[in-house]
């Protein structure tokens, strides 16, 4: 069957997949039958390798055929080894509204071999320990980029060794001189670091290193896409298996060219099916520091941060940053999180009863929707005010309060059912529930269906603590 291409995503039918499965309905994949597995495969909800019978030698031809059909427009490349190995690329589409993006942009923080050892260790540890809770997700950093600025092989080797001893995070080794790059590889011989970079002048030596150490390799040709594609082709033909493209990152006047190059490559891969353009892209926002001039450090950090944001939205699969201040990293990791969530699914939390502090039988009871942003805002306001309370999280299909009420996703029936299911009636002796101000118009209906008295609370959860102090009487 001929498969259509739409926006780089092959429109596969479950039947095409099914025809090439072993069709024994053995359930080893965890699905009811082969057809159910085929449907999940088409929706990219399971991996082909979950069908173990398909991995047997007698099914090799079908496996190869299915792998080819399911191949993403952008190749997936793994940096590092073990639990913390980072996969980049693997994108099926150009835009996230077409299909959920895979493999969030990997963020690297740099160290150099000219930094004092204590600074290297502290930067690596800070990167390793970076953690930010954002609507139920823990946002982390992914890689360390070790840069040779000394142009001294021994110094580079010692720096890579120190970094490898300090962290399990995968590495990017940045050295254009092959002898220095090899010294770095010798300090982390089986760590599969990303090697940066092969250029039109050093490509052969770098390709040999990449093959010898089984390391992915960046092909770099700043602002010259023809040279970049030709370089990638040469490396591939030479035997390099995993290649990442660096079309160049330019701050200031070169910004338009930077974004244009990234976009053209991703378009060629996803819309045009061009295989060599379909390699992961690396951006280097830390170039902002190279053009620093008289600018104050904080302004450079801000510039680096917006460059990172632009590259994340414009298809970068990995980026290297220098600033490791929380205030400049937060917009970057939050933006990445928002872009890589499934746009078809509202971000929701588990409904049910949540307990704050040490409430007793006279403590206030409130309800809210299960939209993650609403829940975490309300929860954080209750927690920070140290209010002892019960909060019933109602399944509003991930809608916020006002949208949920307007769209009949947060209804009086659901709220009454949630009150009953929560078991709150056995925990408090009163029958009063505080409603968010934005759900005031269904308070009468809730009272009728639940038998609980509804107190209309504030529209903004930051006023909950004051409301409880001023108005709550069990
Ligand atoms: Fe079919 Fe493979 Fe699943 Fe068995 S494991 S049911 S053969 S898809």
């Amino acid at each position: 069957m001929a498969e259509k291409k739409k926006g780089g995503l092959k429109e596969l039918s479950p039947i095409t997949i099914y025809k090439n499965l072993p069709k024994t309905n053995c359930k080893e994949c965890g699905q009811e039958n082969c057809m159910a597995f085929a449907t999940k495969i088409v929706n990219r909800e399971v991996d082909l390798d979950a069908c173990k019978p398909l991995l047997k030698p007698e099914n090799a031809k079908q496996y190869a055929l299915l792998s080819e059909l399911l191949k993403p427009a952008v190749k997936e490349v793994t940096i590092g080894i073990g639990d913390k190995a980072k996969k980049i690329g693997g994108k099926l589409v150009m835009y996230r509204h077409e299909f959920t993006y895979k493999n969030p942009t990997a963020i690297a923080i740099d160290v150099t071999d000219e930094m004092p050892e204590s600074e290297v260790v502290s930067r690596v540890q800070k990167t390793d320990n970076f953690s930010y809770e954002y609507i139920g997700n823990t946002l982390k950093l992914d890689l360390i980029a070790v840069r040779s600025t000394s142009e001294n092989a021994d110094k580079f080797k010692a720096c890579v060794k120190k970094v490898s001893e300090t962290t399990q995070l995968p590495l990017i080794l940045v050295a254009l001189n092959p002898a220095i790059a090899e010294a770095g590889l010798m300090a982390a011989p089986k760590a599969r670091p990303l090697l940066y970079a092969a250029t039109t002048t050093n490509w052969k030596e770098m390709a040999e290193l990449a093959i010898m150490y089984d390391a992915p390799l960046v092909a770099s040709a700043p602002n010259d896409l023809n040279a970049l594609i030709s370089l990638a082709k040469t490396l591939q033909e030479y035997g390099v298996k995993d290649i990442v493209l660096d079309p160049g990152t330019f701050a200031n006047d070169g910004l338009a060219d930077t974004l244009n190059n990234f976009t053209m490559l991703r378009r060629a891969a996803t819309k045009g099916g061009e295989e060599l353009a379909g390699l992961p892209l690396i951006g280097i926002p830390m170039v902002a520091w190279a053009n620093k001039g008289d600018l104050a450090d904080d302004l450079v950090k801000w510039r680096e941060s917006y460059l990172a944001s632009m590259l994340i939205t414009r298809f970068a699969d990995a980026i290297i940053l220098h600033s490791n201040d929380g205030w400049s990293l937060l917009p970057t990791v939050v933006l990445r999180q928002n872009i890589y969530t499934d746009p078809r699914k509202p971000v929701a939390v588990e409904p049910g009863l949540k307990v704050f502090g040490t409430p007793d039988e006279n403590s206030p009871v409130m309800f809210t929707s299960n939209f993650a942003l609403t829940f975490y805002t309300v929860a954080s306001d209750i927690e920070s005010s140290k209010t002892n309370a019960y909060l019933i999280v109602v399944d509003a299909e991930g809608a916020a309060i006002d949208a949920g009420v307007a769209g009949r996703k947060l209804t009086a029936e659901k709220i009454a059912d949630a009150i009953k299911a929560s078991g709150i009636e056995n925990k408090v002796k009163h029958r009063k529930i505080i409603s968010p101000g934005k759900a005031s118009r269904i308070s009468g209906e809730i009272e009728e269906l639940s038998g609980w008295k509804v107190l209309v609370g504030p529209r903004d959860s930051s006023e909950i603590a004051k409301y409880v102090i001023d108005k709550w009487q069990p």
Side-chain angles (χ1 to χ4, degrees), residues 21-29 33-34 37 50-53:
L21 290 173
K23 297 191 277 289
T24 60
N25 297 327
C26 68
K27 302 188 186 178
E28 260 192 74
C29 56
N33 50 46
C34 296
F37 182 73
C51 171
K52 298 296 173 216

Side-chain angles (χ1 to χ4, degrees), residues 289-412:
W289 292 90
N291 306 306
K292 181 176 181 292
D294 294 334
L295 275 184
D297 280 4
D298 278 356
L299 280 177
V300 184
K301 289 173 191 173
W302 177 73
R303 183 180 279 176
E304 184 183 29
S305 180
Y306 76 64
L307 204 45
S309 301
M310 286 178 173
L311 285 169
I312 289 174
T313 48
R314 290 283 102 178
F315 319 117
D317 298 292
I319 54 173
I320 304 179
L321 300 176
H322 176 66
S323 168
N324 62 357
D325 287 339
W327 68 265
S328 66
L329 287 172
L330 276 191
T332 308
V333 293
V334 168
L335 175 78
R336 175 182 65 171
Q337 177 65 23
N338 289 339
I339 286 179
Y340 280 79
T341 50
D342 186 343
R344 296 164 303 177
K345 289 186 198 151
V347 195
V349 296
E350 270 303 296
L353 182 68
K354 314 286 173 188
V355 178
F356 293 87
T358 49
D360 60 23
E361 57 189 15
N362 292 316
S363 295
V365 178
M366 317 167 195
F367 76 84
T368 189
S369 93
N370 72 328
F371 174 45
L373 204 52
T374 303
F375 169 74
Y376 283 106
T377 308
V378 173
S380 139
D381 286 332
I382 299 175
E383 261 162 12
S384 58
S385 66
K386 302 206 175 351
T387 306
N388 296 316
Y390 293 104
L391 177 69
I392 298 172
V393 180
V394 183
D395 184 356
E397 299 172 46
I401 302 287
D402 37 6
V405 171
R408 302 288 299 154
K409 289 183 173 170
L410 183 64
T411 61

Side-chain angles (χ1 to χ4, degrees), residues 74-324:
V74 178
K75 191 180 172 190
E76 189 172 77
V77 167
T78 304
I79 308 170
I81 48 166
D83 290 349
K84 292 212 171 170
K86 192 74 198 162
K87 287 184 174 163
I88 62 170
K91 307 290 193 294
L92 293 157
V93 293
M94 182 151 182
Y95 298 113
R96 70 188 281 270
H97 62 259
E98 296 171 275
F99 207 87
T100 313
Y101 276 170
K102 203 180 168 192
N103 298 333
T105 309
I107 301 175
I109 301 293
D110 86 314
V111 294
T112 77
D113 59 2
E114 287 185 302
M115 286 175 178
E117 190 178 288
S118 58
E119 189 181 348
V120 169
V121 170
S122 99
R123 281 179 70 82
V124 170
Q125 285 174 340
K126 193 171 174 187
T127 306
D128 223 343
N129 297 333
F130 178 91
S131 176
Y132 181 67
E133 290 301 317
Y134 175 69
I135 49 171
N137 297 289
T138 307
L139 310 186
K140 307 278 287 176
L141 301 172
D142 311 286
L143 309 162
I144 302 288
V146 190
R147 298 195 295 129
S148 160
T149 51
S150 68
E151 288 300 315
N152 178 307
D154 291 339
K155 276 194 174 179
F156 189 56
K157 189 175 180 180
C159 187
V160 174
K161 186 166 180 286
K162 191 73 216 168
V163 172
S164 305
E165 287 165 358
T166 311
T167 183
Q168 299 287 311
L169 289 178
L171 308 182
I172 304 178
L173 302 187
V174 184
L176 296 181
N177 178 328
I180 296 176
E182 179 157 29
L185 283 164
M186 283 159 70
K190 292 190 179 135
R192 214 182 138 70
L194 176 63
L195 199 52
Y196 184 102
T199 64
T200 47
T201 51
N202 72 0
W203 69 266
K204 199 165 182 186
E205 294 94 327
M206 291 305 244
E208 273 163 15
L209 289 177
I211 294 166
M212 196 185 336
Y213 287 89
D214 186 28
L217 176 62
V218 176
S220 175
N223 210 13
D224 187 344
L225 293 189
N226 289 334
L228 185 63
I229 294 297
S230 154
L231 179 59
K233 188 166 188 282
T234 309
L235 292 170
Q236 213 173 54
E237 285 170 358
Y238 200 78
V240 180
K241 278 193 284 193
D242 290 322
I243 301 167
V244 174
L245 301 179
D246 172 21
T249 304
F250 307 92
N252 309 330
D253 292 346
L255 195 51
D257 278 345
T258 307
L259 300 181
N260 205 19
N261 289 337
F262 273 76
T263 305
M264 285 203 286
L265 284 168
R266 193 48 52 93
R267 183 180 294 281
T270 53
K271 308 286 183 191
E274 286 180 34
E275 211 159 298
L276 284 166
L279 296 168
L281 305 176
I282 186 166
I284 318 217
M286 66 169 293
V287 296
W289 292 90
N291 306 306
K292 181 176 181 292
D294 294 334
L295 275 184
D297 280 4
D298 278 356
L299 280 177
V300 184
K301 289 173 191 173
W302 177 73
R303 183 180 279 176
E304 184 183 29
S305 180
Y306 76 64
L307 204 45
S309 301
M310 286 178 173
L311 285 169
I312 289 174
T313 48
R314 290 283 102 178
F315 319 117
D317 298 292
I319 54 173
I320 304 179
L321 300 176
H322 176 66
S323 168
N324 62 357

